[in-house]
């Protein structure tokens, strides 16, 4: 899922300095699970905003609304009634949700209340770790299910750099595991260590962001009618 | 193939090779290079020029190599994959060749987190093994990575580095084997302080017959003080400095530590000369170039052939 964390509160205050009627909008999917932007966090941010305004002697209205997903039209439509009288929206969804709202509600400022960090999963209670960088050509079959792109700090494809020590990555030996140590350990367990002797050629980055902004289409999404007509 | 590199000449003559290292200035001061070059000239067969080592911005290694070449030394161009993509790497290789540089050392590079610009974006488009392949392809097939033809001459002796003390230990030899398969011709190791571990690694290298396909140079760094030894042990990624070494340097009277450091370096070189498969040494006297001639003389390696 997408992992986000709340922005420093001062930044949110700064962004909303001119707002009179704020809606704090949460998202019920990824950011709820990673405790950054679900209904609970919405309530906290909203009450902190009210308090901050009160302390500054400003009169503002802060309302709250959390929808299932901020990145899909059928859910975003449901936000419309909550927007009456609102002059500013602070979205606690990931950057995708923020942009989606901005597209849907052209005349309203939609401000980001969280920092979208990465694609990841929990590593332990309350801690999340990056697992994938959406390179566009998944190679997990070749690396025993451990991603060298996102989980090696140098996205190396031919084995560990000289800084791998005691299973940790040189970039942050206290926290980050060396992806290549993990790959080698797992390949060994699977009896496939010899496969790592082959040289992986230079990567094709055109499937990643380096190829420009990406778009993808699903054939399944093609209307059934068209499919039926094809077979006629 | 003759590459017109002095290092290649020494290796072809079957001589025990000695390479040195020079860190360019953190600016455009040519005098720094001239001074260090004078200290090393005649004592080493070739001189590595570091490429923004530990991600600290310094004069470009291509430019500093070209200056060394003018001064009559044989430069080894260190190239890291951190700062340039395949377009810039190939372009700089051609530029380097045009300026008379005949040796290249292909490296992945330290992460920018360690340097003086930790907020920089890194590249890592290729890794060191892919860079070795790239140089070989430019040279032997006259083809660029993208498939275009290379115009005119391009010849370089291909080097790389390896850390026998990095983890996972066993895979270090596999990684060397991959570098050999990619086309590496000489290989310099990380500074050796833990000789038993180095010898263990070297034995694995020889068991696979890799020492016959690549000339391996053991890395030697003279220790200036106990503080330096401790710093290397604790703060430099991938360094293995055993406690005995630190104790030895710390155990001598004040003012004698550097002398002890030199002694350790000379002893290390003697041991390396006798280690099967080792074909040279790589002296990394970090900001202590003036000590290189003395160490090499004591080790019986200076003057050079
Ligand atoms: S290989 Fe690519 S798609 Fe697969 S996990 Fe890694 S970054 Fe994600
Ligand atoms: S230590 Fe491991 S994870 Fe970190 S950069 Fe090196 S190979 Fe990658």
């Amino acid at each position: 899922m997408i992992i986000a964390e709340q922005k420093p509160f001062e930044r949110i205050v700064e962004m909303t300095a001119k707002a009179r009627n704020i809606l704090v909008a949460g998202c019920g999917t990824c950011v709820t699970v990673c405790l950054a932007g679900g209904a609970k966090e919405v309530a906290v941010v909203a009450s902190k905003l009210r308090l901050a305004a009160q302390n500054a002697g400003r009169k503002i209205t802060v309302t709250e609304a959390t929808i299932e997903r901020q990145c899909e039209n059928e859910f975003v439509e449901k936000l419309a009634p909550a927007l009456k009288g609102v002059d500013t929206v602070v979205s606690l969804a990931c950057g995708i949700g923020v942009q989606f709202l901005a597209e849907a509600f052209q005349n309203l400022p939609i401000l980001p209340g969280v920092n979208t960090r990465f694609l990841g999963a929990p590593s332990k209670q309350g801690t999340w770790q990056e697992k994938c960088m959406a390179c566009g050509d998944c190679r997990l079959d070749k690396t025993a299910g451990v991603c060298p792109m996102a989980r090696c700090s140098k996205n190396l494809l031919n084995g560990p750099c000289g800084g791998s020590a005691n299973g940790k990555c040189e970039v942050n030996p206290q926290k980050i595991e060396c992806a290549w140590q993990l790959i080698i350990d797992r390949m060994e367990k699977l009896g496939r260590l010899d496969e790592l002797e082959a040289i992986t050629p230079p990567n094709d980055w055109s499937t990643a962001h380096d190829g420009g902004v990406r778009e993808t289409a699903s054939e399944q999404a093609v209307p059934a009618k068209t499919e039926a007509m094809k077979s006629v | 193939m003759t590459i017109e590199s002095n290092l290649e000449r020494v290796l072809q003559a079957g001589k025990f090779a000695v390479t040195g290292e020079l860190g360019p200035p953190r600016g455009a001061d040519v005098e720094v290079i001239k001074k260090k070059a004078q200290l090393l000239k005649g004592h080493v067969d070739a001189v590595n020029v570091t490429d923004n080592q530990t991600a600290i911005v310094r004069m470009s290694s291509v430019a500093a190599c070209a200056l060394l070449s003018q001064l009559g030394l044989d430069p080894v161009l260190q190239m890291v994959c951190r700062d340039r993509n395949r377009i810039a790497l190939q372009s700089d290789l051609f530029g380097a060749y045009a300026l008379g540089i005949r040796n290249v050392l292909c490296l992945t590079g330290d992460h920018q987190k360690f340097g003086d610009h930790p907020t920089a974006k890194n590249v890592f488009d290729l890794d060191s093994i892919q860079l070795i392949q790239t140089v070989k392809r430019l040279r032997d097939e006259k083809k660029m990575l993208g498939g275009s033809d290379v115009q005119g001459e391009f010849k370089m002796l291909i080097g790389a580095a390896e850390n026998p003390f990095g983890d996972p230990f066993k895979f270090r030899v596999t990684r060397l084997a991959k570098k050999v398969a990619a086309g590496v011709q000489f290989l310099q190791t990380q500074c050796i302080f833990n000789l038993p571990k180095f010898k263990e690694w070297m034995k694995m290298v020889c068991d696979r017959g890799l020492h016959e396909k690549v000339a391996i140079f053991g890395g030697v760094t003279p220790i200036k003080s106990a503080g330096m030894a401790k710093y290397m042990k604790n703060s430099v990624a991938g360094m293995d400095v055993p406690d005995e070494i630190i104790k030895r340097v710390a155990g001598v009277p004040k003012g004698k530590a550097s002398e002890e450091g030199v002694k350790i370096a000379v002893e290390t070189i003697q041991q390396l000369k006798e280690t099967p498969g080792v074909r040279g040494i790589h002296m990394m006297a970090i900001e202590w170039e003036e000590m290189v001639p003395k160490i090499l003389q004591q080790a019986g390696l200076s003057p050079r052939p």
Side-chain angles (χ1 to χ4, degrees):
Chain A
M1 65 180 170
I2 295 170
I3 308 300
E5 65 189 14
Q6 242 165 59
K7 271 194 180 294
F9 185 66
E10 314 80 74
R11 277 283 289 136
I12 301 179
V13 170
E14 201 183 295
M15 285 189 280
T16 54
K18 289 193 182 127
R20 296 267 153 228
N21 196 335
I22 304 170
L23 173 74
V24 182
C27 177
T29 308
C30 306
V31 289
T32 293
V33 181
C34 68
L35 309 176
K40 264 195 226 150
E41 291 75 36
V42 166
V44 174
V45 170
S47 64
K48 277 167 90 180
L49 277 171
R50 287 183 202 113
L51 200 67
Q54 206 182 339
N55 291 343
R58 288 179 63 228
K59 261 191 75 118
I60 63 166
T61 310
V62 184
T63 50
E64 306 164 22
T66 298
I67 53 172
E68 189 59 30
R69 278 207 278 287
Q70 285 192 25
C71 59
E72 243 178 297
N73 273 326
E74 58 169 307
F75 299 109
V76 167
E77 278 163 11
K78 292 188 186 144
L79 206 58
L83 290 171
K84 261 202 199 98
V86 163
D87 60 26
T88 303
V89 177
V90 174
S91 164
L92 300 194
C94 70
I96 304 163
V98 174
Q99 295 184 63
F100 211 78
L101 293 193
E103 266 168 51
F105 308 110
Q106 289 285 329
N107 300 323
L108 266 181
I110 314 284
L111 309 175
V114 301
N115 288 325
T116 304
R117 297 295 310 278
F118 48 78
L119 306 181
S123 48
K124 55 176 192 260
Q125 188 73 29
T127 307
W128 291 266
Q129 207 174 57
E130 183 165 19
K131 299 283 186 207
C132 171
M133 53 169 249
C135 76
D137 184 12
C138 195
R139 59 175 64 243
L140 288 174
D141 58 319
K142 300 191 178 78
T143 54
V146 179
C147 175
M149 293 288 196
R151 297 179 66 188
C152 165
S153 299
K154 300 174 187 170
N155 54 256
L156 302 178
L157 299 179
N158 279 298
C161 75
S164 175
N166 308 314
K168 301 292 185 196
C169 170
E170 68 169 27
V171 173
N172 190 345
Q174 278 75 44
K175 290 193 179 150
I176 312 175
E177 289 174 293
C178 168
W180 274 100
Q181 177 79 56
L182 296 174
I183 292 169
I184 290 163
D185 289 349
R186 239 177 95 66
M187 286 298 263
E188 195 166 16
K189 270 188 211 139
L190 298 173
R192 291 171 54 195
L193 206 52
D194 56 316
E195 287 174 36
L196 295 181
E197 301 254 345
I199 296 175
T200 303
N203 190 47
D204 174 359
W205 293 102
S206 70
T207 60
H209 181 70
D210 306 81
V213 177
R214 294 172 278 178
E215 189 173 75
T216 192
S218 165
E219 283 182 15
Q220 268 124 31
V222 174
K225 221 178 14 187
T226 328
E227 278 303 299
M229 282 171 73
K230 251 195 227 162
S231 59
V232 173
Chain B
M1 171 184 18
T2 46
I3 286 170
E4 306 145 30
S5 129
N6 184 52
L7 181 57
E8 187 196 37
R9 181 185 66 78
V10 172
L11 288 174
Q12 274 178 355
K15 298 260 166 34
F16 194 82
V18 179
T19 52
E21 189 159 304
L22 183 154
R26 296 172 77 166
D29 190 351
V30 178
E31 289 312 311
V32 173
I33 295 186
K34 286 189 179 155
K35 213 179 120 209
K36 289 183 178 177
Q38 283 320 317
L39 291 169
L40 295 171
K41 198 172 178 178
H43 300 286
V44 294
D45 303 317
V47 181
N48 283 30
V49 177
T50 54
D51 181 9
N52 298 307
Q53 200 170 18
T54 60
I56 288 173
V57 175
R58 291 173 182 274
M59 183 194 290
S60 104
S61 56
V62 174
C65 279
L67 290 167
L68 283 192
S69 191
Q70 285 166 20
L71 294 167
L73 286 94
D74 186 27
V76 178
L77 173 71
Q78 290 198 184
M79 272 198 142
V80 299
C81 297
R82 177 193 59 231
D83 308 323
R84 283 166 289 198
N85 66 8
R86 64 192 78 179
I87 299 171
L89 287 167
Q90 292 178 100
S91 158
D92 278 356
L93 280 164
F94 295 144
Y97 181 79
L99 290 167
I101 298 158
R102 296 291 180 267
N103 314 294
V104 61
L105 195 85
C106 305
L107 303 168
T108 299
D110 300 309
H111 195 270
Q112 73 275 12
K113 187 202 157 188
F114 299 104
D116 57 356
H117 291 74
T119 56
K121 187 180 196 306
N122 61 38
V123 182
F124 297 118
D125 176 18
L126 303 183
D127 61 29
S128 55
I129 293 173
Q130 294 160 347
L131 180 58
I132 295 168
Q133 270 186 326
T134 305
V135 181
K136 188 170 157 68
R137 184 152 190 227
L138 296 175
R139 186 189 68 191
D140 298 354
E141 294 169 38
K142 303 248 166 277
K143 289 271 187 217
M144 298 192 204
L145 268 186
S148 322
D149 293 329
V150 174
Q151 291 177 354
E153 280 293 334
F154 176 79
K155 288 186 290 190
M156 279 210 193
L157 190 71
I158 309 172
E162 190 48 68
N163 182 8
F165 312 104
D167 284 327
F169 182 60
K170 265 196 279 172
F171 197 79
R172 288 290 143 196
V173 180
T174 307
R175 211 156 167 272
L176 173 61
K178 286 175 92 161
K179 288 180 180 180
V180 168
V184 77
Q185 294 166 291
F186 70 97
L187 184 118
Q188 298 165 332
T189 77
Q190 172 70 285
C191 320
I192 301 163
F193 298 108
N194 187 343
L195 265 164
K197 190 154 184 193
F198 173 74
K199 287 183 182 169
E200 196 187 332
W201 178 80
M202 211 48 224
K203 192 179 169 296
M204 288 158 72
V205 169
C206 292
D207 286 348
R208 282 189 71 155
L210 296 170
H211 63 300
E212 280 158 10
K213 297 180 182 140
V214 58
I216 295 173
F217 306 166
V220 178
T221 289
I223 296 173
K224 251 179 170 172
S225 64
M228 172 185 171
K230 280 186 207 143
Y231 172 78
M232 286 197 293
K233 183 189 177 80
N234 300 323
S235 312
V236 182
M239 279 274 192
D240 182 349
V241 189
D243 289 332
E244 302 95 78
I245 296 282
I246 297 175
K247 273 193 211 131
R248 240 186 100 173
V249 183
V252 294
K254 234 180 172 280
K256 296 259 183 201
S258 65
E259 216 172 274
E260 192 64 23
V262 167
K263 229 162 124 189
I264 296 172
V266 174
E267 286 168 23
T268 306
I269 296 173
Q270 304 292 16
Q271 295 251 1
L272 289 174
K273 276 170 136 180
E274 288 160 18
T275 306
V278 175
R279 287 178 46 197
I281 57 154
H282 176 54
M283 280 290 297
M284 290 166 275
I286 305 151
E287 297 303 319
W288 208 19
E289 287 83 0
E290 65 268 27
M291 207 43 83
V292 173
K294 188 174 160 191
I295 295 170
L296 293 174
Q297 270 149 18
Q298 286 186 19
L301 288 172
S302 182
R304 301 303 308 150

